[in-house]
Structure formats: structure tokens, C-alpha cells
Amino acid sequence: MKKYISLFLLSSFLVVTSCDDRFAELNTDPNRPGADVFDPNLILPVATYGYGNMLTGYSGPILFQSMWIQSLASTSTGGANYYSNADKYVISGSTNSYIQGVWNNGYQIASRINQMQSLARTKDLSNLDAVGGIFKASTLAFVSDVYGDVPYTEGLQAEEGITQPKYDSQSEAYMAMLTDLETSLASLNPAGDPIRNDVMYGGDLEKWRKFGYSVMLKMALRLVKVDPAAAQTWVQKAVAGGVFTSPDDDALIPSDQANGYSNQSANALNVVDDIYEVRWSDKTIDFLQATNDPRLSIVAEVPPAGLAANRDGVVEGNSDPAVQIGLPNGFDLTGGAFDITTHPEYPGPTGTGGDIAIIGAYSRPTAIYRDRDAPVFALTYAEVQLLLADAAVRGLASGSAAEYYKNGVEAAFVSIGKFGGRTVAIEDITDYTDANPLDQSTTDASLKMINEQIWVTTSLFANFVEAWNNWKRTGYPELTPVNFPGNFSSGQIPRRQPYPAGESGVNGESLNAAVSRMGGDDWITRTWWDGGN
């Protein structure tokens, strides 16, 4: 990955031309290629790594959605104690910086992809152009899911003179993205130009096609509450086009710690305070224990006794499922009414003397989540099968919801091994699926079971924004909000991130129009498709 990214960074300045022809002539380095010979395939790995960063770490997901969705929990409180943004919906010293992470990353990625597509078109690299279109639609749909209305039809057109693009309503943006995605997928040609420097799929166009249609499926299901007819149309197009067919199709973005391209969530969880503060929530641990889920011993451990061990990310804890205890959301260690030691099920501290860990007996993520070389799980076959189960229950797709559900659970157990840790034994997978078939007694029972599984699966893959988006769409799992003093969301689970503060200075008129249309710019304003609960 480093080779491709470094080459791009070295050459990216060369595609910028000056309006002073004489200046360009005098300042052209004959030893460096210009846009006429620069290979736009070199941009793809940079965009891919950036996409992974958007989904992870301090760009927002681990500091917001991981605990909004009650996958993780923390005892941190306000001020500089940054997990207060997530666990208690309380402003920290850097909240305004975290707010803009997805926005800035998303538009930077999309801009690079746009540049790649522009260069690809000049060289008749139609497949690279199409892959760029697939990736761009997925990127900006992600941004829209987090914020709502976004610049799309006029976005990324600064070279054409549009420096203050209008914000499309989310409904308009989604329809345009889906149409552009369909167009890009239709233009993929196995006999055309090969995709080079592809760190996600190694240039395999068939996998890119499946990825694009799987993205289409996910986007289509966002529409079930606001436009059921459109949802059905796009679900059926996705299925007909061909979505993921096995875990081999998983969209995983590789990390490369040795060369400076590490997994950003792992970077966060290796911070000493994070090792100590971040635990699995009781919602997650209870869910896994209720069905003897074999993933529990892979993802959770109780640290050894004492403060030093609880702050050590290298020491191995006890992963016995029977001893795992989830931390309730919304508690702290400040000695007041919300102190975790006052909770009726508080298991007590560990250690003795000056080595006491007050929080010590709660389950933390295992070392797989601190592995800086772990891949980023962008979209998986497991999630796609569970989405198809949801679509089948709603009558939007043919096939057996129970079979899709079983396939999704089995695949989730297989793909958890791709973190690089232990895997789930085949016999344990079979035992679990035999003991936990889809509840088809009612439509609601089926949807509850399917979407709770999407929540826990995407959470365990550290794709916390996806878990949050699917909760907004469906209302599952059923969550009790935290109502911590001084919270910024009126005691409600946040439904979106406010726009970056800088937008008011650079594109204020368009921003104000979007805010007026959406009905506000706060943490609980619902975006167009958000009607789950």
C-alpha cells in the first residue's frame, strides 16, 4: 500500500496547471511525469485508505456512534475526557473537531476519486472511471447518512467554477447517487482496461460489481419508511445485478502499520486511557451471552486484576464467556449520583493497595481491536445476507428470509476471523444456527431478530456508523437513551452530526437553505430517510 500511496502523493501536484504558460514552462521538472502520462490508477489506493479512515477512529465513529448505539461504553465525563461525546452525549473539548471528521474525510476522498475519474476519461480507462463512480456514490451516501442534506449534483465542481455548491435534499441526493451508481455498474467491462494498484479487490472487476450492487441494496433499504416503492425498485435492481455471494467478497480495506497506514480504530484503542476506559456495553455482552454466541470469547476479555493490567493493552485477559460483564452506558467515576460503583450490579474493583482498578471487572475488547494491521470492515457478505432477510420479510425481495438469516449469521462467524485472531469452529457455527433459527412467528419478530443481528455483527466488525444507521432505519435493537446532566441531545440518542462549523463561512447561503429545509442543525434533527423509531 505504501508504494502506491507514496507515488500518488509525489505526483498529485503535477496535475495542477498554472494559468501563466511561461511560468509552467520554466518550472516543469522534466524528471517527473505530467497529467498526460500520470497513471490515475495510483489514486485508487489513496482513496481506499481514506475511505477506511472515514469509517474508523477519531474521525467520529469510535467517539460518537460506537456508544450512541450502545455497542461500547465508557466511564469518561466532560472536559477533555473525549468519550463523553459518545457515552453520555456531553460536549468535550474537541467535540467540534470530531463533528467535521466524516465530512472532511468524505469530501477529500470524493475529490480524489473525481480527479481519478477525470484523468481516467482522458485515457479511455472506462473501468477505472466506473470503479470511481461506485466508490464515490458509496462515499457520499455515507456522508449523507451522517449529516443529511449534502452537496452532490453541484459538488466537486470547483474547476468548473462552482465553489459554493447547493446542498441537495437527501431525497434528491439519494436518487441521484443510486442512478449514478447504476450507470457506473452498467459500464464495467471485463474486456476493458484492467484495474491496477487495487488494495481492496486486486483489480477483480467481478468483486467490484458485487460491491456496487451490495451498496445499492444497503442504500435501497434506507428508503423503506419514506419511499417503499423506490426501495423495492432498487432492491430488485441490486439483486438482479448480483450482490455478494460469499465471505470471499467482503469489502475489507487492508492496514499497514509498518508503513504508516494503520487501522485508525486500533490507533485509538491503543491509547492508555482508551485501554482503561473503553469497555463492551452490557447491551452487547448480554446479547451475546443470551444465545451462547461463540464470538463472545473472541471479542471480549476481563483484564487481569489491578490498575496496571487494566491500562496495559498487551497483557491478555480472561476470555471465558461465563465471566464477561458489560459496562452500563451513562456512568462515570466521579463519586456522584452517576458513579458506576453505585450501580446495583457493580461487580467491584480489582487489585489491591495502590494498584486498584475501580473499573477492572468489566469486559474490554480483546487484542484484535488493538491490532493496527487489522483490516477495516467496509461491507460484508454477512451484512448483505441479513439485509436480504430484512427485504424478504418486507416483501421487497424473493427468497427465504430464514435462509438469508442463517447465511448471514454463519458468514458473520466466519468473517470475525479476518481480524487476525481466533476463528469460530465449524461445529460451533452449526450448533448456533440450529439452536437459533429466525423467529417467523410475526413480521415484527423476524425484523427484530434480523436487525438485532445486523447491530451486533456490524458492531463486532467495528463498523459502528453502519450499526447506528441501521438502528435509525429499523428501531432495532430497542435502546434506552442516556440522560446525563448537561447533554447536548435533550436526553435522546443522537440521530445525526451537526454540520462542520466552517461551512457557514465558506458556503453559508447553501448551508442555511439546507438547515431550513431539514428543520434544524442539531444532534436530534432527523434526516429524510430516518423513520425507524
Side-chain angles (χ1 to χ4, degrees):
M1 182 182 289
K2 181 182 180 183
K3 174 179 69 175
Y4 301 135
I5 294 179
S6 298
L7 282 170
F8 169 68
L9 294 176
L10 178 68
S11 305
S12 60
F13 301 103
L14 305 174
V15 298
V16 180
T17 58
S18 171
C19 56
D20 184 334
D21 293 338
R22 181 60 178 164
F23 178 86
E25 178 184 338
L26 294 174
N27 289 276
T28 297
D29 184 347
N31 297 314
R32 292 187 176 189
D36 56 331
V37 295
F38 176 75
D39 183 0
N41 280 277
L42 290 171
I43 301 176
L44 183 58
V46 185
T48 306
Y49 181 69
Y51 187 85
N53 285 351
M54 181 177 67
L55 273 60
T56 54
Y58 289 159
S59 67
I62 205 164
L63 294 167
F64 290 146
Q65 287 85 2
S66 71
M67 297 179 195
W68 292 351
I69 201 64
Q70 297 178 16
S71 302
L72 297 174
S74 173
T75 54
S76 69
T77 48
N81 220 334
Y82 38 85
Y83 282 105
S84 63
N85 305 280
D87 198 64
K88 301 165 184 66
Y89 334 139
V90 173
I91 295 287
S92 75
S94 298
T95 299
N96 286 335
S97 174
Y98 305 147
I99 285 171
Q100 62 189 354
V102 167
W103 184 277
N104 290 346
N105 282 345
Y107 276 102
Q108 183 181 63
I109 297 159
S111 179
R112 284 175 169 163
I113 294 171
N114 214 44
Q115 184 183 50
M116 181 183 78
Q117 289 182 282
S118 178
L119 287 169
R121 286 191 286 269
T122 68
K123 299 173 184 297
D124 295 323
L125 301 177
S126 59
N127 280 332
L128 183 61
D129 184 20
V131 164
I134 295 166
F135 221 162
K136 186 164 64 179
S138 181
T139 299
L140 294 181
F142 186 94
V143 175
S144 179
D145 290 342
V146 171
Y147 297 96
D149 295 4
V150 295
Y152 184 73
T153 56
E154 290 187 0
L156 309 174
Q157 297 187 51
E159 291 185 1
E160 288 78 17
I162 302 177
T163 57
Q164 295 179 312
K166 72 170 185 176
Y167 284 54
D168 296 290
S169 68
Q170 190 177 52
S171 60
E172 294 170 336
Y174 246 68
M175 292 304 110
M177 290 173 193
L178 283 164
T179 299
D180 290 348
L181 179 58
E182 182 179 33
T183 299
S184 294
L185 285 162
S187 65
L188 287 173
N189 179 8
D193 56 290
I195 305 300
R196 296 187 296 276
N197 309 331
D198 177 8
V199 297
M200 189 163 80
Y201 282 136
D204 190 328
L205 285 179
E206 176 64 10
K207 289 188 183 297
W208 274 106
R209 182 183 64 78
K210 292 179 182 178
F211 173 72
Y213 281 113
S214 297
V215 169
M216 183 183 291
L217 172 68
K218 181 176 69 173
M219 291 177 65
L221 283 171
R222 298 274 200 261
L223 313 181
V224 292
K225 296 292 179 66
V226 291
D227 194 340
Q232 182 165 26
T233 295
W234 287 104
V235 164
Q236 292 178 352
K237 285 184 178 185
V239 172
V243 296
F244 290 162
T245 55
S246 83
D248 291 340
D249 297 327
D250 288 350
L252 304 184
I253 298 170
S255 301
D256 184 4
Q257 160 67 8
N259 290 308
Y261 306 106
S262 55
N263 182 301
Q264 293 301 308
S265 286
N267 279 348
L269 294 177
N270 272 287
V271 174
V272 172
D273 286 345
D274 295 41
I275 294 169
Y276 183 73
E277 289 278 2
V278 177
R279 304 295 166 115
W280 288 114
S281 73
D282 58 348
K283 188 80 176 177
T284 299
I285 297 299
D286 292 351
F287 183 88
L288 295 171
Q289 287 177 330
T291 55
N292 295 315
D293 192 307
R295 289 172 292 185
L296 180 54
S297 64
I298 296 173
V299 303
E301 64 181 13
V302 174
L307 181 61
N310 271 261
R311 293 168 64 85
D312 186 340
V314 176
V315 64
E316 186 176 348
N318 184 349
S319 60
D320 181 350
V323 305
Q324 304 307 315
I325 305 172
L327 175 67
N329 289 96
F331 288 85
D332 60 25
L333 288 170
T334 62
F338 290 86
D339 194 295
I340 189 59
T341 63
T342 67
H343 193 280
E345 297 179 8
Y346 172 61
T350 66
T352 59
D355 190 40
I356 289 181
I358 302 300
I359 196 177
Y362 287 109
S363 302
R364 72 182 181 188
T366 55
I368 63 174
Y369 295 98
R370 295 187 293 277
D371 181 0
R372 290 184 171 97
D373 284 318
V376 174
F377 287 69
L379 185 61
T380 62
Y381 170 70
E383 183 182 350
V384 167
Q385 285 293 296
L386 293 168
L387 288 172
L388 285 172
D390 180 296
V393 169
R394 297 177 192 272
L396 304 179
S398 60
S400 165
E403 191 67 22
Y404 289 136
Y405 180 79
K406 180 181 179 182
N407 292 342
V409 172
E410 290 176 343
F413 290 176
V414 168
S415 291
I416 198 70
K418 296 182 181 183
F419 269 111
R422 291 191 296 110
T423 59
V424 179
I426 296 298
E427 56 270 26
D428 291 337
I429 296 176
T430 300
D431 289 345
Y432 183 92
T433 54
D434 287 348
N436 298 279
L438 179 64
D439 182 349
Q440 299 186 82
S441 59
T442 66
T443 296
D444 287 344
S446 293
L447 291 175
K448 179 178 185 292
M449 196 168 181
I450 292 164
N451 288 291
E452 285 179 344
Q453 193 60 231
I454 291 177
W455 164 75
V456 77
T457 293
T458 51
S459 293
L460 297 183
F461 287 155
N463 193 344
F464 302 114
V465 175
E466 186 54 37
W468 174 64
N469 280 326
N470 200 65
W471 168 78
K472 290 189 297 181
R473 177 180 74 88
T474 66
Y476 296 116
E478 298 174 359
L479 301 174
T480 301
V482 169
N483 195 3
F484 199 83
N487 70 81
F488 52 60
S489 61
S490 302
Q492 300 177 52
I493 297 173
R495 317 288 301 202
R496 64 181 290 272
Q497 291 174 208
Y499 290 115
E503 276 294 286
S504 61
V506 297
N507 196 11
E509 184 176 345
S510 297
L511 171 66
N512 291 337
V515 171
S516 176
R517 182 169 55 240
M518 292 173 60
D521 183 27
D522 56 29
W523 303 86
I524 56 176
T525 298
R526 295 199 180 208
T527 62
W528 169 66
W529 61 254
D530 175 6
N533 51 354

mmCIF file of all heavy atoms in Angstrom, residues 6-18 24 27-39 42-43 115 119 123 159:
data_model
loop_
_atom_site.group_PDB
_atom_site.id
_atom_site.type_symbol
_atom_site.label_atom_id
_atom_site.label_comp_id
_atom_site.label_asym_id
_atom_site.label_seq_id
_atom_site.Cartn_x
_atom_site.Cartn_y
_atom_site.Cartn_z
ATOM 1 N N SER A 6 2.540 6.542 -1.775
ATOM 2 C CA SER A 6 3.652 7.473 -1.881
ATOM 3 C C SER A 6 3.815 7.982 -3.302
ATOM 4 O O SER A 6 4.096 9.158 -3.533
ATOM 5 C CB SER A 6 4.941 6.796 -1.407
ATOM 6 O OG SER A 6 4.852 6.424 -0.050
ATOM 7 N N LEU A 7 3.659 7.110 -4.274
ATOM 8 C CA LEU A 7 3.746 7.543 -5.666
ATOM 9 C C LEU A 7 2.681 8.576 -5.987
ATOM 10 O O LEU A 7 2.925 9.551 -6.697
ATOM 11 C CB LEU A 7 3.607 6.336 -6.602
ATOM 12 C CG LEU A 7 4.855 5.454 -6.761
ATOM 13 C CD1 LEU A 7 4.494 4.184 -7.506
ATOM 14 C CD2 LEU A 7 5.952 6.216 -7.482
ATOM 15 N N PHE A 8 1.477 8.355 -5.447
ATOM 16 C CA PHE A 8 0.412 9.313 -5.712
ATOM 17 C C PHE A 8 0.711 10.659 -5.082
ATOM 18 O O PHE A 8 0.577 11.701 -5.710
ATOM 19 C CB PHE A 8 -0.931 8.810 -5.187
ATOM 20 C CG PHE A 8 -1.986 9.883 -5.211
ATOM 21 C CD1 PHE A 8 -2.466 10.359 -6.405
ATOM 22 C CD2 PHE A 8 -2.438 10.446 -4.039
ATOM 23 C CE1 PHE A 8 -3.412 11.357 -6.433
ATOM 24 C CE2 PHE A 8 -3.370 11.453 -4.052
ATOM 25 C CZ PHE A 8 -3.865 11.900 -5.255
ATOM 26 N N LEU A 9 1.145 10.651 -3.816
ATOM 27 C CA LEU A 9 1.408 11.910 -3.133
ATOM 28 C C LEU A 9 2.523 12.676 -3.821
ATOM 29 O O LEU A 9 2.502 13.897 -3.897
ATOM 30 C CB LEU A 9 1.769 11.644 -1.668
ATOM 31 C CG LEU A 9 0.633 11.064 -0.826
ATOM 32 C CD1 LEU A 9 1.128 10.746 0.574
ATOM 33 C CD2 LEU A 9 -0.537 12.036 -0.756
ATOM 34 N N LEU A 10 3.520 11.963 -4.368
ATOM 35 C CA LEU A 10 4.603 12.606 -5.073
ATOM 36 C C LEU A 10 4.126 13.255 -6.356
ATOM 37 O O LEU A 10 4.587 14.336 -6.748
ATOM 38 C CB LEU A 10 5.685 11.557 -5.403
ATOM 39 C CG LEU A 10 6.901 12.035 -6.188
ATOM 40 C CD1 LEU A 10 7.723 12.981 -5.323
ATOM 41 C CD2 LEU A 10 7.748 10.849 -6.629
ATOM 42 N N SER A 11 3.162 12.603 -7.005
ATOM 43 C CA SER A 11 2.757 13.055 -8.328
ATOM 44 C C SER A 11 1.503 13.910 -8.346
ATOM 45 O O SER A 11 1.177 14.503 -9.361
ATOM 46 C CB SER A 11 2.511 11.825 -9.225
ATOM 47 O OG SER A 11 3.641 11.002 -9.243
ATOM 48 N N SER A 12 0.792 14.000 -7.217
ATOM 49 C CA SER A 12 -0.518 14.643 -7.230
ATOM 50 C C SER A 12 -0.447 16.113 -7.590
ATOM 51 O O SER A 12 -1.388 16.672 -8.121
ATOM 52 C CB SER A 12 -1.198 14.481 -5.874
ATOM 53 O OG SER A 12 -0.415 15.073 -4.868
ATOM 54 N N PHE A 13 0.695 16.741 -7.300
ATOM 55 C CA PHE A 13 0.830 18.155 -7.604
ATOM 56 C C PHE A 13 0.971 18.400 -9.103
ATOM 57 O O PHE A 13 0.791 19.510 -9.574
ATOM 58 C CB PHE A 13 2.051 18.735 -6.887
ATOM 59 C CG PHE A 13 1.978 18.588 -5.393
ATOM 60 C CD1 PHE A 13 2.718 17.617 -4.755
ATOM 61 C CD2 PHE A 13 1.146 19.398 -4.630
ATOM 62 C CE1 PHE A 13 2.641 17.461 -3.383
ATOM 63 C CE2 PHE A 13 1.065 19.236 -3.254
ATOM 64 C CZ PHE A 13 1.813 18.268 -2.631
ATOM 65 N N LEU A 14 1.289 17.368 -9.841
ATOM 66 C CA LEU A 14 1.611 17.551 -11.251
ATOM 67 C C LEU A 14 0.383 17.737 -12.122
ATOM 68 O O LEU A 14 0.504 18.175 -13.260
ATOM 69 C CB LEU A 14 2.399 16.330 -11.751
ATOM 70 C CG LEU A 14 3.663 16.035 -10.920
ATOM 71 C CD1 LEU A 14 4.288 14.736 -11.382
ATOM 72 C CD2 LEU A 14 4.645 17.182 -11.029
ATOM 73 N N VAL A 15 -0.775 17.406 -11.610
ATOM 74 C CA VAL A 15 -1.979 17.547 -12.411
ATOM 75 C C VAL A 15 -2.567 18.945 -12.298
ATOM 76 O O VAL A 15 -3.559 19.260 -12.929
ATOM 77 C CB VAL A 15 -3.036 16.508 -12.005
ATOM 78 C CG1 VAL A 15 -2.503 15.105 -12.245
ATOM 79 C CG2 VAL A 15 -3.431 16.677 -10.551
ATOM 80 N N VAL A 16 -1.957 19.799 -11.485
ATOM 81 C CA VAL A 16 -2.414 21.171 -11.345
ATOM 82 C C VAL A 16 -1.667 22.039 -12.340
ATOM 83 O O VAL A 16 -0.437 22.046 -12.359
ATOM 84 C CB VAL A 16 -2.174 21.691 -9.913
ATOM 85 C CG1 VAL A 16 -2.646 23.119 -9.784
ATOM 86 C CG2 VAL A 16 -2.858 20.791 -8.911
ATOM 87 N N THR A 17 -2.346 22.766 -13.173
ATOM 88 C CA THR A 17 -1.700 23.599 -14.179
ATOM 89 C C THR A 17 -1.854 25.056 -13.851
ATOM 90 O O THR A 17 -2.817 25.478 -13.235
ATOM 91 C CB THR A 17 -2.314 23.331 -15.570
ATOM 92 O OG1 THR A 17 -3.708 23.595 -15.500
ATOM 93 C CG2 THR A 17 -2.106 21.881 -15.986
ATOM 94 N N SER A 18 -0.902 25.858 -14.258
ATOM 95 C CA SER A 18 -0.927 27.292 -13.988
ATOM 96 C C SER A 18 -1.551 28.016 -15.154
ATOM 97 O O SER A 18 -1.447 27.608 -16.308
ATOM 98 C CB SER A 18 0.501 27.795 -13.752
ATOM 99 O OG SER A 18 0.533 29.198 -13.698
ATOM 100 N N ALA A 24 4.717 27.919 -16.221
ATOM 101 C CA ALA A 24 4.671 26.464 -16.332
ATOM 102 C C ALA A 24 5.869 25.945 -17.107
ATOM 103 O O ALA A 24 6.461 24.920 -16.769
ATOM 104 C CB ALA A 24 3.366 26.032 -16.994
ATOM 105 N N ASN A 27 9.065 26.100 -14.950
ATOM 106 C CA ASN A 27 9.043 25.362 -13.696
ATOM 107 C C ASN A 27 8.619 23.902 -13.855
ATOM 108 O O ASN A 27 8.234 23.268 -12.895
ATOM 109 C CB ASN A 27 8.111 26.061 -12.692
ATOM 110 C CG ASN A 27 8.724 27.352 -12.200
ATOM 111 O OD1 ASN A 27 9.528 27.371 -11.275
ATOM 112 N ND2 ASN A 27 8.356 28.449 -12.853
ATOM 113 N N THR A 28 8.678 23.380 -15.048
ATOM 114 C CA THR A 28 8.357 21.977 -15.272
ATOM 115 C C THR A 28 9.591 21.116 -15.053
ATOM 116 O O THR A 28 10.640 21.365 -15.636
ATOM 117 C CB THR A 28 7.826 21.765 -16.704
ATOM 118 O OG1 THR A 28 6.620 22.500 -16.864
ATOM 119 C CG2 THR A 28 7.555 20.290 -16.952
ATOM 120 N N ASP A 29 9.475 20.149 -14.187
ATOM 121 C CA ASP A 29 10.564 19.222 -13.911
ATOM 122 C C ASP A 29 10.521 18.110 -14.947
ATOM 123 O O ASP A 29 9.570 17.318 -14.980
ATOM 124 C CB ASP A 29 10.400 18.636 -12.507
ATOM 125 C CG ASP A 29 11.560 17.724 -12.118
ATOM 126 O OD1 ASP A 29 12.343 17.349 -13.000
ATOM 127 O OD2 ASP A 29 11.662 17.385 -10.920
ATOM 128 N N PRO A 30 11.522 18.021 -15.826
ATOM 129 C CA PRO A 30 11.480 17.003 -16.887
ATOM 130 C C PRO A 30 11.592 15.577 -16.356
ATOM 131 O O PRO A 30 11.331 14.628 -17.084
ATOM 132 C CB PRO A 30 12.708 17.360 -17.750
ATOM 133 C CG PRO A 30 13.644 18.051 -16.813
ATOM 134 C CD PRO A 30 12.754 18.816 -15.867
ATOM 135 N N ASN A 31 11.976 15.434 -15.072
ATOM 136 C CA ASN A 31 12.119 14.095 -14.499
ATOM 137 C C ASN A 31 10.850 13.591 -13.839
ATOM 138 O O ASN A 31 10.834 12.489 -13.298
ATOM 139 C CB ASN A 31 13.261 14.097 -13.482
ATOM 140 C CG ASN A 31 14.602 14.411 -14.123
ATOM 141 O OD1 ASN A 31 14.920 13.855 -15.169
ATOM 142 N ND2 ASN A 31 15.365 15.317 -13.515
ATOM 143 N N ARG A 32 9.802 14.413 -13.826
ATOM 144 C CA ARG A 32 8.540 13.996 -13.225
ATOM 145 C C ARG A 32 7.440 13.993 -14.278
ATOM 146 O O ARG A 32 7.371 14.894 -15.101
ATOM 147 C CB ARG A 32 8.148 14.925 -12.078
ATOM 148 C CG ARG A 32 9.071 14.817 -10.874
ATOM 149 C CD ARG A 32 8.534 15.638 -9.728
ATOM 150 N NE ARG A 32 9.323 15.492 -8.521
ATOM 151 C CZ ARG A 32 8.967 15.980 -7.335
ATOM 152 N NH1 ARG A 32 7.838 16.649 -7.213
ATOM 153 N NH2 ARG A 32 9.734 15.802 -6.282
ATOM 154 N N PRO A 33 6.561 13.009 -14.223
ATOM 155 C CA PRO A 33 5.511 12.927 -15.243
ATOM 156 C C PRO A 33 4.423 13.961 -15.015
ATOM 157 O O PRO A 33 4.101 14.315 -13.890
ATOM 158 C CB PRO A 33 4.949 11.515 -15.052
ATOM 159 C CG PRO A 33 5.196 11.227 -13.601
ATOM 160 C CD PRO A 33 6.495 11.898 -13.271
ATOM 161 N N GLY A 34 3.852 14.432 -16.102
ATOM 162 C CA GLY A 34 2.707 15.328 -16.015
ATOM 163 C C GLY A 34 1.417 14.549 -16.139
ATOM 164 O O GLY A 34 1.409 13.309 -16.187
ATOM 165 N N ALA A 35 0.298 15.274 -16.227
ATOM 166 C CA ALA A 35 -1.003 14.615 -16.280
ATOM 167 C C ALA A 35 -1.156 13.746 -17.509
ATOM 168 O O ALA A 35 -1.926 12.786 -17.506
ATOM 169 C CB ALA A 35 -2.103 15.671 -16.256
ATOM 170 N N ASP A 36 -0.384 14.053 -18.557
ATOM 171 C CA ASP A 36 -0.524 13.282 -19.784
ATOM 172 C C ASP A 36 0.006 11.861 -19.652
ATOM 173 O O ASP A 36 -0.414 10.960 -20.370
ATOM 174 C CB ASP A 36 0.174 13.997 -20.948
ATOM 175 C CG ASP A 36 1.647 14.285 -20.651
ATOM 176 O OD1 ASP A 36 1.976 14.458 -19.470
ATOM 177 O OD2 ASP A 36 2.441 14.345 -21.610
ATOM 178 N N VAL A 37 0.944 11.635 -18.721
ATOM 179 C CA VAL A 37 1.471 10.287 -18.544
ATOM 180 C C VAL A 37 1.208 9.720 -17.154
ATOM 181 O O VAL A 37 1.477 8.549 -16.901
ATOM 182 C CB VAL A 37 2.998 10.254 -18.814
ATOM 183 C CG1 VAL A 37 3.295 10.583 -20.257
ATOM 184 C CG2 VAL A 37 3.741 11.188 -17.883
ATOM 185 N N PHE A 38 0.686 10.524 -16.255
ATOM 186 C CA PHE A 38 0.409 10.056 -14.892
ATOM 187 C C PHE A 38 -0.668 8.975 -14.921
ATOM 188 O O PHE A 38 -1.696 9.108 -15.583
ATOM 189 C CB PHE A 38 -0.046 11.228 -14.032
ATOM 190 C CG PHE A 38 -0.438 10.831 -12.626
ATOM 191 C CD1 PHE A 38 0.520 10.511 -11.694
ATOM 192 C CD2 PHE A 38 -1.776 10.772 -12.245
ATOM 193 C CE1 PHE A 38 0.180 10.145 -10.399
ATOM 194 C CE2 PHE A 38 -2.133 10.407 -10.963
ATOM 195 C CZ PHE A 38 -1.151 10.084 -10.038
ATOM 196 N N ASP A 39 -0.443 7.890 -14.192
ATOM 197 C CA ASP A 39 -1.396 6.774 -14.156
ATOM 198 C C ASP A 39 -2.436 7.034 -13.069
ATOM 199 O O ASP A 39 -2.123 6.968 -11.878
ATOM 200 C CB ASP A 39 -0.658 5.475 -13.863
ATOM 201 C CG ASP A 39 -1.568 4.252 -13.885
ATOM 202 O OD1 ASP A 39 -2.783 4.431 -14.126
ATOM 203 O OD2 ASP A 39 -1.064 3.135 -13.653
ATOM 204 N N LEU A 42 -3.029 5.119 -9.674
ATOM 205 C CA LEU A 42 -2.290 5.367 -8.441
ATOM 206 C C LEU A 42 -3.130 6.097 -7.397
ATOM 207 O O LEU A 42 -2.771 6.120 -6.218
ATOM 208 C CB LEU A 42 -1.022 6.184 -8.752
ATOM 209 C CG LEU A 42 0.070 5.436 -9.520
ATOM 210 C CD1 LEU A 42 1.155 6.404 -9.963
ATOM 211 C CD2 LEU A 42 0.664 4.326 -8.666
ATOM 212 N N ILE A 43 -4.211 6.711 -7.825
ATOM 213 C CA ILE A 43 -5.056 7.442 -6.878
ATOM 214 C C ILE A 43 -5.953 6.486 -6.094
ATOM 215 O O ILE A 43 -6.332 6.771 -4.954
ATOM 216 C CB ILE A 43 -5.902 8.500 -7.613
ATOM 217 C CG1 ILE A 43 -4.990 9.491 -8.347
ATOM 218 C CG2 ILE A 43 -6.823 9.250 -6.655
ATOM 219 C CD1 ILE A 43 -5.739 10.529 -9.177
ATOM 220 N N GLN A 115 -10.946 13.339 -9.316
ATOM 221 C CA GLN A 115 -9.721 13.575 -10.076
ATOM 222 C C GLN A 115 -9.299 12.311 -10.823
ATOM 223 O O GLN A 115 -8.904 12.361 -11.998
ATOM 224 C CB GLN A 115 -8.618 14.028 -9.131
ATOM 225 C CG GLN A 115 -7.306 14.413 -9.822
ATOM 226 C CD GLN A 115 -6.239 14.789 -8.825
ATOM 227 O OE1 GLN A 115 -5.999 14.035 -7.874
ATOM 228 N NE2 GLN A 115 -5.597 15.933 -9.010
ATOM 229 N N LEU A 119 -9.027 11.979 -14.980
ATOM 230 C CA LEU A 119 -7.840 11.514 -15.680
ATOM 231 C C LEU A 119 -8.122 10.215 -16.430
ATOM 232 O O LEU A 119 -7.630 10.007 -17.542
ATOM 233 C CB LEU A 119 -6.704 11.302 -14.680
ATOM 234 C CG LEU A 119 -6.071 12.578 -14.109
ATOM 235 C CD1 LEU A 119 -5.151 12.227 -12.942
ATOM 236 C CD2 LEU A 119 -5.298 13.325 -15.189
ATOM 237 N N LYS A 123 -7.840 9.076 -20.719
ATOM 238 C CA LYS A 123 -7.026 7.953 -21.184
ATOM 239 C C LYS A 123 -7.868 6.746 -21.600
ATOM 240 O O LYS A 123 -7.334 5.648 -21.786
ATOM 241 C CB LYS A 123 -6.047 7.550 -20.073
ATOM 242 C CG LYS A 123 -5.083 8.667 -19.668
ATOM 243 C CD LYS A 123 -4.256 8.253 -18.453
ATOM 244 C CE LYS A 123 -3.369 9.395 -17.994
ATOM 245 N NZ LYS A 123 -2.374 9.795 -19.006
ATOM 246 N N GLU A 159 -13.384 23.310 -10.257
ATOM 247 C CA GLU A 159 -12.692 23.608 -11.516
ATOM 248 C C GLU A 159 -13.640 24.150 -12.567
ATOM 249 O O GLU A 159 -13.211 24.832 -13.504
ATOM 250 C CB GLU A 159 -11.976 22.361 -12.030
ATOM 251 C CG GLU A 159 -10.792 21.937 -11.172
ATOM 252 C CD GLU A 159 -10.026 20.771 -11.776
ATOM 253 O OE1 GLU A 159 -10.412 20.315 -12.872
ATOM 254 O OE2 GLU A 159 -9.047 20.328 -11.164
#
